[in-house]
Amino acid sequence: MIRLGIDLGGTKIEIVALAGDGRELLRRRVPTPQGDYRATLETLVELVGFAEARLGERTSVGVGTPGSLSRMAGCIRNANSTCLNGRPLRRDLEAMLEREVRLANDANCFAVSEATDGAGAGAETVFGVIIGTGVGGGVVVGGRLLAGANGIAGEWGHSPLPLPTTEDLPLPPCYCGRRGCIETYLSGPGLAADHARRHGGGLSAHEIADAAVAGDAASEATLQRYEARLARALGTVINLIDPDVIVLGGGLSRLERLYANVPARWAEHVFSDQILTRLRPARHGDSSGVRGAAWLWPAGTEAR
């Protein structure tokens, strides 16, 4: 069985075809029609048509999207690609493609990918974390994506940062309307904003990391605050779902120091006399989201 996965991003739409053993058979990337829902649908349909013509067979289709699907309304909500919000994306795609389509949040697709044949392969419980432009998460248990009663399982970025200290105040405003969300501290822009509040300047997260390696004391202090916050936030996740593996993706996951420093700091926040949870970088990197969309289709991986 060949599976198609589509990553519907704010600036690009990517499609990949996977063989049953995970081998990549085809990949294509096109720009996302900006602010145009109908054109976005047509682009998705064109990509599926292109892939099936090249592959010579009808395939399954999984789609990773920003935001999530409201179980009450059947429409996309909370997407930063705002033209999708309030739209019945899955229903419309199914009508145009004349088949069932599986759809999941992009962070959930990342978690599915890494739990299936990535850094969490073989583990019973995997928490996949995106720390990039935004912060998201997904939970896979026993090889199946956990969606939750409200369709928001793993929506970690919009929980409050645990145990705020004086260094965390005042609580930064979040675009969601709340204050002190994990995303406002642990995203790339959140890291850069924290550095600017403390030390001035306009360095990006990448520039801060490079400056710390070069010996800049202010940048090193910023990264240490970041690691302490990430340890607190992940410690809460460990207490709640006790995952075997936590996999990091997104731009900040490339900071190699996180994989030693964060587990060393999360022990004080975990209610256990031993911590066997492993923190790992994503095996598939930037390809995990689109691969996970394709993997929404194997038997047993549908959300529960």
Side-chain angles (χ1 to χ4, degrees):
M1 176 182 179
I2 297 177
R3 302 166 179 88
L4 291 183
I6 300 174
D7 179 20
L8 175 52
T11 59
K12 55 88 179 172
I13 302 174
E14 186 170 23
I15 191 168
V16 69
L18 297 184
D21 60 2
R23 285 180 299 112
E24 184 179 310
L25 304 176
L26 173 150
R27 180 185 293 264
R28 190 178 189 189
R29 177 182 294 187
V30 298
T32 302
Q34 295 300 305
D36 190 329
Y37 177 69
R38 176 53 55 178
T40 297
L41 283 174
E42 291 170 352
T43 300
L44 295 173
V45 172
E46 287 170 6
L47 282 172
V48 172
F50 161 82
E52 291 184 335
R54 291 281 298 272
L55 297 166
E57 66 178 79
R58 186 177 174 90
T59 66
S60 63
V61 178
V63 181
T65 70
S68 60
L69 191 67
S70 167
R71 292 192 169 182
M72 180 176 66
C75 296
I76 297 293
R77 60 189 173 181
N78 302 328
N80 52 15
S81 297
T82 55
C83 73
L84 302 178
N85 289 327
R87 299 285 193 163
L89 177 63
R90 184 170 66 184
R91 186 164 69 240
D92 287 344
L93 263 183
E94 288 180 337
M96 295 173 75
L97 292 172
E98 299 182 333
R99 75 194 78 173
E100 181 186 352
V101 172
R102 290 188 182 171
L103 185 147
N105 170 265
D106 47 14
N108 285 345
C109 289
F110 168 81
V112 168
S113 171
E114 292 298 323
T116 301
D117 63 352
E124 174 65 17
T125 303
V126 177
F127 184 59
V129 173
I130 301 292
I131 43 175
T133 304
V135 171
V139 184
V140 177
V141 181
R144 293 181 63 188
L145 177 65
L146 184 65
N150 304 296
I152 58 169
E155 195 58 81
W156 178 65
H158 294 283
S159 296
L161 181 74
L163 297 173
T165 69
T166 55
E167 286 192 329
D168 304 321
L169 301 176
L171 300 177
C174 184
Y175 78 88
C176 74
R178 301 173 179 85
R179 284 185 172 270
C181 289
I182 285 171
E183 181 167 305
T184 65
Y185 295 98
L186 297 184
S187 65
L191 171 61
D194 176 65
H195 185 81
R197 284 192 297 269
R198 291 278 174 175
H199 308 292
L203 296 180
S204 67
H206 177 74
E207 290 167 335
I208 293 165
D210 287 346
V213 171
D216 180 67
S219 296
E220 175 62 28
T222 294
L223 291 186
Q224 289 190 21
R225 288 193 303 276
Y226 183 89
E227 289 164 352
R229 290 163 178 158
L230 184 56
R232 274 185 272 156
L234 291 180
T236 301
V237 171
I238 295 170
N239 286 336
L240 186 63
I241 64 172
D242 204 11
D244 299 276
V245 181
I246 297 173
V247 184
L248 301 185
L252 289 173
S253 71
R254 299 187 184 97
L255 291 174
E256 292 184 10
R257 57 185 285 165
L258 298 181
Y259 301 96
N261 294 351
V262 172
R265 302 190 73 152
W266 70 25
E268 61 187 291
H269 307 295
V270 176
F271 190 58
S272 177
D273 60 349
Q274 63 174 1
I275 306 173
L276 301 179
T277 300
R278 293 154 286 165
L279 184 66
R280 292 176 172 171
R283 179 176 297 169
H284 296 298
D286 293 341
S287 294
S288 252
V290 70
R291 289 177 63 88
W295 284 128
L296 291 174
W297 271 97
T301 59
E302 62 271 22
R304 59 182 175 187

